[in-house]
Amino acid sequence: MAIIDHIQDPGSDAIFGIQTEYRKDVRKEKVNLTVGVYVDEDGGSPPIMAALKMGEQKHLAMETTKNYLSIAGDSEYLALTAKLVFGDLDFQRAAMIQTVGGTSALRTGFEFLRKNGYSGVSLSNPTWANHKQIVANLDYKVYSYPHIQGIKDFAIICDHLRSLDDKTVVLLQAKCHNPTGLDFTKEQWVEISQICKEKNLFPFFDSAYQGFATTLKEDSWAIRYFLEEGHDMMVAHSFSKSFAIYNERVGALFVVMQDKAIIPVIKRNLMKIVRVNYSNPPFHGAASIVQVLKDEKLKKRWQAELSGHRDRINSIRKRFGEALIPILGDKASANVMDGHGFFCQIPLTSEEIVRLKVEFGVYMTGSGRISLPGLSKKSFSYVIEALKKIKE
Ligand code: LMR
């Protein structure tokens, strides 16, 4: 008898699992539209940004130790990140920790809230697959609203938020919604803020795509507005995409409270959670980013590279949306064209998604999410032709 006899197979990951299948596929014409990473025209692996490489070299030249960071991470990194995300943040009102990418910021934040009186969470439907797993692992009760429908008919979202119990967490994607690409307007954010206040809901922002819709500042408009409005709130921030620094896992968690007195206790609670999970964060990626953000020239160079990524994705989005009109109709293509960031979601059945993979070697997640940078000049018409055949 096996020592563990009730083990269940959780299956492979909804996003990385499909990428693994893609990698095993030997067909030359295969197309990877799975994980949200920036690839350029020739496909292949995401390139390293030149500004980041320079920041990394500066860090390496200065580095004298590989000693542990503190549990909360590097304070210079946190201050620079806070400036980028919030503009002006009163550090006495914020418990800040450096995290292992955005995922551990989300996990730590949700664990902290779960231990401190929160048991329900509102998630958009659809949302990033990992959001659902993180809150499920912490036994949250999940409430959800139809995101695409709700963006168009906003009363659906307002009614949903008003129906939630006091002290429910509301997970809000700051910009470039994953997987749909469809974001709230400023007017909609204002209403969400009002309802969160009225109903005593706790806003938790996921900020993973800053700089991919318009500008760095504009893309954190909602976070800055909620800050101005005096919310107690949290932000999980990731640099994975904006610095294309995926495998270094660079993120941060900010817990902002009106009551300054409670901040040190919150920070110690966060540190307690971190200590038993990963002890303290890694430094190399964060240190390289610090060197970029504190050097005006390098920072400008990074911003120019980021704009280049954004502009290319935007032009792919437009072309893709236009090409979809005769295949999927006006509504579906408008949803593509109105979106921002890496993703769009197109209406395909699971059978159609499987056919695209099996018959054409076109890989996307099971929800019909497409990572737009994968649509290169070479693969674009191939994917369009495959979609036409599937819909014939
Ligand atoms: C994605 O959604 O594809 C990325 O954020 C990668 C991930 O961790 O899922």
Side-chain angles (χ1 to χ4, degrees), residues 182-346:
L182 295 169
D183 295 322
F184 296 125
T185 61
K186 287 186 182 170
E187 293 70 32
Q188 290 174 335
W189 280 120
V190 170
E191 273 194 74
I192 293 172
S193 158
Q194 267 161 12
I195 302 173
C196 285
K197 278 190 185 168
E198 273 164 37
K199 293 287 304 180
N200 198 20
L201 306 173
F202 192 90
F204 189 172
F205 281 93
D206 185 354
S207 156
Y209 297 91
Q210 192 186 4
F212 281 95
T214 46
T215 61
L216 286 159
K217 190 172 167 204
E218 265 302 291
D219 288 0
S220 65
W221 188 88
I223 294 175
R224 292 172 190 212
Y225 177 74
F226 273 60
L227 182 71
E228 260 171 45
E229 285 295 295
H231 284 273
D232 287 344
M233 62 196 262
M234 298 206 298
V235 178
H237 182 74
S238 168
F239 279 119
S240 295
K241 325 282 173 176
S242 55
F243 268 91
I245 192 164
Y246 313 99
N247 68 12
E248 301 279 6
R249 315 303 300 136
V250 192
L253 175 67
F254 300 91
V255 184
V256 182
M257 293 280 155
Q258 288 308 302
D259 177 8
K260 291 181 187 175
I262 201 177
I263 293 299
V265 182
I266 292 182
K267 186 157 177 188
R268 285 195 287 278
N269 272 276
L270 299 177
M271 287 160 71
K272 192 111 185 141
I273 295 169
V274 165
R275 178 69 172 133
V276 297
N277 278 312
Y278 56 89
S279 195
N280 40 58
F283 193 40
H284 186 81
S288 310
I289 287 181
V290 165
Q291 292 308 322
V292 176
L293 294 182
K294 69 182 199 184
D295 175 327
E296 274 314 309
K297 258 175 123 178
L298 275 188
K299 188 173 171 191
K300 281 219 171 76
R301 185 155 186 172
W302 164 61
Q303 282 173 307
E305 287 181 87
L306 176 58
S307 305
H309 288 193
R310 180 189 63 226
D311 293 348
R312 178 167 163 266
I313 299 176
N314 283 344
S315 77
I316 296 174
R317 178 183 288 285
K318 190 161 175 296
R319 277 179 64 216
F320 189 53
E322 279 163 1
L324 287 179
I325 298 174
I327 310 170
L328 298 175
D330 290 344
K331 211 165 134 198
S333 65
N335 284 343
V336 172
M337 287 192 273
D338 291 346
H340 302 114
F342 279 66
F343 305 115
C344 63
Q345 193 179 32
I346 57 173

Side-chain angles (χ1 to χ4, degrees), residues 15-16 34-36 128 178 209 241 343 369:
I15 297 172
F16 285 101
T34 61
V35 182
W128 182 42
N178 183 358
Y209 297 91
K241 325 282 173 176
F343 305 115
R369 186 191 82 169

Side-chain angles (χ1 to χ4, degrees), residues 116-134:
N116 290 285
Y118 289 82
S119 55
V121 61
S122 160
L123 301 178
S124 66
N125 179 22
T127 193
W128 182 42
N130 224 15
H131 288 149
K132 293 193 270 182
Q133 309 198 96
I134 291 169

Side-chain angles (χ1 to χ4, degrees), residues 34-104:
T34 61
V35 182
V37 292
Y38 184 82
V39 289
D40 51 27
E41 272 309 314
D42 49 17
S45 301
I48 302 174
M49 285 177 152
L52 179 66
K53 198 77 190 161
M54 288 178 214
E56 182 176 41
Q57 276 153 0
K58 271 178 97 175
H59 166 62
L60 284 174
M62 286 176 346
E63 185 183 45
T64 54
T65 178
K66 296 278 187 193
N67 197 1
Y68 291 119
L69 292 185
S70 74
I71 297 173
D74 182 63
S75 50
E76 188 178 25
Y77 162 78
L78 287 167
L80 288 162
T81 305
K83 185 148 185 45
L84 207 64
V85 176
F86 295 92
D88 250 345
L89 178 66
D90 175 355
F91 292 154
Q92 293 196 322
R93 289 219 153 83
M96 318 193 282
I97 59 163
Q98 182 187 331
T99 59
V100 186
T103 296
S104 84

